[in-house]
Amino acid sequence: NAGVTQTPKFQVLKTGQSMTLQCAQDMNHEYMSWYRQDPGMGLRLIHYSVGAGITDQGEVPNGYNVSRSTTEDFPLRLLSAAPSQTSVYFCASSMAGGPGNTIYFGEGSWLTVV
Amino acid sequence: EDQVTQSPEALRLQEGESSSLNCSYTVSGLRGLFWYRQDPGKGPEFLFTLYSAGEEKEKERLKATLTKKESFLHITAPKPEDSATYLCAVQSSSSNTGKLIFGQGTTLQVKP
């Protein structure tokens, strides 16, 4: 029973490098999202998707790209990493984005940009 | 602006000492209020969803309640394994993104 799977768990990047955080879910959920968690800031929504081929921006989208080519996968791309992107990233999914749909989170990806 | 505030930031209890965590919210139409538990190095784990004032839900030693302005997470006779950070989040009817607005969490430590 995998649920929401994120890779890698830990990553260190140099400023200016690019990378992709992978997220996959096996629950056939339509809604997927990415959050970042920073001390004193709580969890904040980066991007979300309501289904394959449909993505949109959340609260803090700058510096990140997403795509949704399949229902299962929702990768998050850092185009040119900056120290301000040092954070813990969580992928989440639910049946849909509306009320009554519990959002389930992955285990997180710890990213450090030096 | 939709906002969630949790208090206290940290709480230390002795095993068996009951207490409550507070989540105050301002939102333009509440779609749902969620409680999550987060252990160090892990993702948030879903506990409860509450939808309307007066609603209550229970799970083992935890009981969540909801009013029009706040929610409480009551912990009865806690055990050391209840130590974690408890997160409160709301979904607003003003947003169709499914976005959760989180508080900063309450870190609970239960000592044996």
Side-chain angles (χ1 to χ4, degrees):
Chain A
N1 193 9
V4 180
T5 303
Q6 293 182 231
T7 56
K9 180 82 171 181
F10 300 99
Q11 183 72 49
V12 178
L13 284 180
K14 293 183 179 179
T15 297
Q17 286 184 321
S18 62
M19 77 156 298
T20 299
L21 299 177
Q22 302 291 345
C23 176
Q25 52 89 10
D26 61 359
M27 298 174 282
N28 201 32
H29 285 172
E30 290 295 321
Y31 181 86
M32 296 185 74
S33 54
W34 278 100
Y35 286 80
R36 59 178 288 174
Q37 186 174 35
D38 302 289
M41 301 292 291
L43 284 122
R44 293 177 293 168
L45 181 66
I46 305 172
H47 285 286
Y48 68 97
S49 169
V50 298
I54 306 169
T55 65
D56 206 344
Q57 297 181 352
E59 183 181 356
V60 287
N62 293 340
Y64 308 96
N65 271 0
V66 292
S67 60
R68 185 93 179 273
S69 57
T70 67
T71 298
E72 294 78 20
D73 300 300
F74 190 44
L76 178 71
R77 297 183 187 86
L78 281 70
L79 307 174
S80 177
S84 61
Q85 293 179 303
T86 294
S87 186
V88 185
Y89 292 85
F90 291 100
C91 181
S93 74
S94 68
M95 285 294 291
N101 291 288
T102 300
I103 296 179
Y104 298 94
F105 287 82
E107 294 285 272
S109 295
W110 272 251
L111 175 66
T112 301
V113 182
V114 297
Chain B
E1 181 184 352
D2 300 331
Q3 192 170 359
V4 177
T5 303
Q6 291 187 246
S7 62
E9 289 186 14
L11 182 62
R12 289 184 180 181
L13 299 173
Q14 289 296 127
E15 184 173 2
E17 180 186 2
S18 301
S19 187
S20 296
L21 281 56
N22 177 263
C23 172
S24 298
Y25 64 91
T26 55
V27 64
S28 52
L30 181 69
R31 275 187 162 183
L33 185 141
F34 299 78
W35 281 99
Y36 286 85
R37 168 188 171 132
Q38 187 174 25
D39 292 302
K42 300 290 187 180
E45 176 188 350
F46 171 75
L47 293 174
F48 305 109
T49 308
L50 302 168
Y51 296 104
S52 57
E55 189 174 0
E56 299 181 352
K57 288 193 177 174
E58 288 188 66
K59 179 181 180 180
E60 297 180 353
R61 294 176 293 282
L62 301 177
K63 179 180 177 180
T65 62
L66 181 65
T67 72
K68 288 186 178 180
K69 294 185 178 180
E70 57 192 355
S71 176
F72 292 94
L73 185 65
H74 306 278
I75 303 176
T76 302
K79 298 181 178 182
E81 52 262 42
D82 294 322
S83 298
T85 295
Y86 291 85
L87 303 173
C88 173
V90 298
Q91 271 187 341
S92 168
S93 60
S94 66
S95 168
N96 62 356
T97 68
K99 169 185 173 181
L100 287 173
I101 302 161
F102 281 88
Q104 296 187 18
T106 294
T107 300
L108 172 66
Q109 183 181 26
V110 182
K111 294 193 170 185

